Amino acid sequence: MSLRTRETIKLKLKINGEDNCFAILPGDRLSTVLRREGYLSVKTGCYTGDCGTCTVLLDGQPIVSCLMLAAQAQGSSLTTVEALAQGSELHLLQKAFLDEGAVQCGFCTPGMLLSALALLRRVPHPSEEQVREAFSGNLCRCTGYERPVRAVLKAAAATEESSK
Amino acid sequence: MAVKVFFNPASPQEAVRLMYEQPGRGAYLAGGTDLLCSPEWPDFVVNIRGLLATLAQEAGELVIGAAATISRIAAWQALSEADDGLMQSCARGFASEQIRNMATVGGNLASAVPSADFATPLLALEAQCVIQAPEGQRTIPLEGFFAGPHQSVLDRELLLKIRLPLPSAGVRTEFLKIGRNPGDIATINVATLLELECDKIQKARIALGAVAPTPIRAYAAEEFLAGKPASDENIQRAADLAREAVQPISDQRASADYRRQMSMVLTRRALQRCLGRNQ
Ligand SMILES: Cc1cc2nc3c(=O)[nH]c(=O)nc-3n(C[C@H](O)[C@H](O)[C@H](O)COP(=O)(O)OP(=O)(O)OC[C@H]3O[C@@H](n4cnc5c(N)ncnc54)[C@H](O)[C@@H]3O)c2cc1C
Ligand code: FES
Ligand code: FES
């Protein structure tokens, strides 16, 4: 007896608030499906959970999409960086990244923005240490982390201002 | 190497039945952080993500579903109150936020790597493993769960949950780990637990990882400490006994000699910290 060969699966999930339905294969990684469906902010570097450039939010929590089979995301709700800007209006975090020069090659940036977003939702005014901890799963080979960390602190401070 | 079939069982019993009845090489899939990193993917996976994730407080014990993530376990207040923050402290140095949100305790134990971080605190807490086999459930102590490097006693069976007997009130615990950087795979990890009465040690539990083919308990050191005053000499003697209990190898992370020496140092340091002495 042999296994039924690679039947396609209907994957229903919400991405950035919109309902989606994709045909996927049982062994497709979530990162592969997202890129195939046009969410090109999701990069892949290592496929071993180390670099974090494939980070997405799954039901609000940062995960690495390379180590999840897409079929496991059935019925869940995902956030990618595409959700951050409202039309041509950049998100506060994106603005802060630009202002601080926190983007060099940009390969790590989508993952960093999502890790930062999840942090700020949990801890609106984090310490520098908390920001560094939140970035511990996002490798950046260009910036040395200083500017991305500063950018997150700046975005957090800006939120404080605007809520005053 | 491609996964050909993806199963979403509705119950643990169904999960185990699939594992036994489906042709080809199958694997349970929880967080995927070990399985999907391996070069050889199975022919089929049985998804248990979300199936066994319950955390529950029952009479005299805490019960952790095998597919509970590291993040959820770390945030479980009933647990950190009962174990003096032992599991939480272990979780803090476990990988990164993204991995902690995916990785499960069951996957950590079932992968059975000698360095598995959750193994040592769970050994110190005398965890029991509840296992689902086709013919029913059985419960074994975690000490009997590991069979060798990358090998547990499970034969296509499913680890259902971990039962933790509640430690006595006032228990003191400590977890220490050496790695290249925080969040790295352990070069060595140690968990200790002390129950004290006045300045006397009633009970000691000492577990070490990455220093033997499986995570181990240092029984001789534990027995030596039972009933003894918590003096520096006794702690040193226990730490020396822990060094004798290990059988490390040399690998890319450290030499066997280093691991042997650090088994002593970390055991001493962890015990002293349990006693509130900063070392
Ligand atoms: C970047 C990175 C960093 C890491 N850092 C650490 C670290 O600091 N410390 C550490 O200890 N580990 C670390 N790991 C290893 C890994 O994250 C853990 O071992 C994790 O707990 C595995 O759980 P999982 O749910 O992802 O397992 P999976 O990959 O889903 O499964 C692992 C294995 O266990 C089996 N399995 C899973 N659940 C069960 C069950 N309930 N019953 C029977 N079998 C089961 C699977 O079939 C598979 O063979 C790291 C991994 C990565 C990728
Ligand atoms: S590609 Fe997912 S962590 Fe590197
Ligand atoms: S900006 Fe290049 S890797 Fe971070």
Side-chain angles (χ1 to χ4, degrees):
Chain A
M1 194 161 67
S2 75
L3 278 173
R4 287 169 288 166
T5 46
R6 310 240 254 154
E7 286 171 24
T8 58
I9 298 172
K10 239 165 93 181
L11 173 67
K12 287 188 180 170
L13 80 177
K14 255 195 172 60
I15 304 179
N16 303 333
E18 276 176 26
D19 288 315
N20 282 282
C21 184
F22 306 134
I24 59 160
L25 290 174
D28 279 346
R29 297 175 196 257
L30 181 57
S31 53
T32 309
V33 171
L34 288 171
R35 286 189 61 79
R36 192 162 68 213
E37 298 297 337
Y39 296 91
L40 295 175
S41 72
V42 182
K43 315 290 181 209
T44 49
C46 65
Y47 291 104
T48 53
D50 291 293
C51 76
T53 197
C54 66
T55 299
V56 299
L57 305 189
L58 176 77
D59 300 321
Q61 307 288 317
I63 59 146
V64 286
S65 57
C66 67
L67 294 186
M68 184 165 185
L69 290 189
Q72 289 184 289
Q74 192 70 262
S76 58
S77 170
L78 293 186
T79 308
T80 69
V81 155
E82 280 85 353
L84 260 60
Q86 300 298 315
S88 60
E89 182 66 11
L90 290 182
H91 187 275
L92 209 58
L93 271 168
Q94 292 172 309
K95 282 186 198 152
F97 265 60
L98 285 178
D99 290 348
E100 288 298 320
V103 182
Q104 289 188 29
C105 80
F107 196 66
C108 67
T109 311
M112 286 217 164
L113 285 169
L114 290 169
S115 288
L117 182 67
L119 172 70
L120 293 186
R121 281 182 182 161
R122 202 159 29 88
V123 190
H125 302 294
S127 64
E128 179 178 336
E129 195 190 337
Q130 285 174 308
V131 177
R132 288 186 183 275
E133 166 57 31
F135 280 159
S136 69
N138 297 88
L139 298 188
C140 174
R141 296 297 82 179
C142 305
T143 66
Y145 306 98
E146 290 301 323
R147 286 160 187 265
V149 170
R150 244 188 277 157
V152 178
L153 292 171
K154 183 171 180 174
T159 322
E160 201 162 63
E161 301 275 295
S162 60
S163 61
K164 259 181 202 161
Chain B
M1 97 145 239
V3 172
K4 298 196 191 82
V5 193
F6 181 96
F7 292 106
N8 241 335
S11 69
Q13 291 81 356
E14 190 190 340
V16 175
R17 203 166 46 241
L18 286 163
M19 195 57 75
Y20 274 75
E21 290 175 1
Q22 291 299 313
R25 198 172 74 85
Y28 298 111
L29 177 63
T33 63
D34 275 329
L35 191 70
L36 301 187
C37 282
S38 71
E40 297 266 309
W41 282 17
D43 300 316
F44 69 91
V45 294
V46 176
N47 182 32
I48 57 166
R49 183 178 179 273
L51 188 62
L52 312 164
T54 325
L55 304 175
Q57 195 158 8
E58 289 172 14
E61 60 181 20
L62 296 173
V63 184
I64 305 176
T69 60
I70 309 300
S71 299
R72 282 193 56 229
I73 295 169
W76 191 21
Q77 210 174 341
L79 174 60
S80 47
E81 279 166 14
D83 75 356
D84 185 33
L86 180 61
M87 297 283 280
Q88 200 172 50
S89 148
C90 173
R92 208 172 296 131
F94 193 112
S96 61
E97 162 118 22
Q98 289 96 317
I99 301 293
R100 289 193 294 272
N101 286 335
M102 305 172 83
T104 66
V105 59
N108 197 231
L109 299 177
S111 286
V113 297
S115 61
D117 276 331
F118 263 20
T120 42
L122 289 171
L123 279 172
L125 292 167
E126 297 173 89
Q128 299 277 322
C129 302
V130 182
I131 295 167
Q132 178 78 49
E135 62 280 5
Q137 291 180 9
R138 64 194 168 104
T139 301
I140 61 163
L142 180 58
E143 295 158 74
F145 182 80
F146 303 109
H150 303 279
Q151 217 169 352
S152 74
V153 297
L154 299 178
D155 168 28
R156 290 175 290 167
E157 297 145 312
L158 180 67
L159 179 58
L160 267 187
K161 51 192 171 185
I162 320 293
R163 288 170 38 188
L164 293 178
L166 281 177
S168 69
V171 70
R172 301 304 313 269
T173 60
E174 188 69 46
F175 176 82
L176 295 175
K177 161 173 165 177
I178 294 179
R180 272 172 313 176
N181 49 42
D184 199 9
I185 303 288
T187 301
I188 163 171
N189 56 28
V190 172
T192 57
L193 174 154
L194 287 182
E195 286 181 19
L196 299 158
E197 210 168 289
C198 301
D199 210 21
K200 226 185 203 159
I201 295 167
Q202 292 299 309
K203 172 170 155 181
R205 292 290 176 266
I206 300 167
L208 299 106
V211 289
T214 70
I216 57 161
R217 288 245 314 259
Y219 297 107
E222 294 176 356
E223 279 158 29
F224 170 79
L225 284 176
K228 297 240 168 47
S231 65
D232 287 346
E233 297 71 41
N234 286 336
I235 298 300
Q236 181 61 55
R237 176 75 190 123
D240 289 337
L241 287 167
R243 172 167 47 195
E244 284 166 33
V246 306
Q247 310 159 336
I249 56 161
S250 297
D251 65 9
Q252 74 277 20
R253 292 198 172 81
S255 68
D257 273 349
Y258 177 80
R259 286 193 161 100
R260 207 171 288 117
Q261 183 69 4
M262 285 304 123
S263 300
M264 183 275 284
V265 172
L266 288 197
T267 301
R268 183 180 63 203
R269 194 176 292 165
L271 289 169
Q272 292 284 28
R273 288 196 184 178
C274 286
L275 293 163
R277 303 173 193 156
N278 245 332
Q279 272 231 334

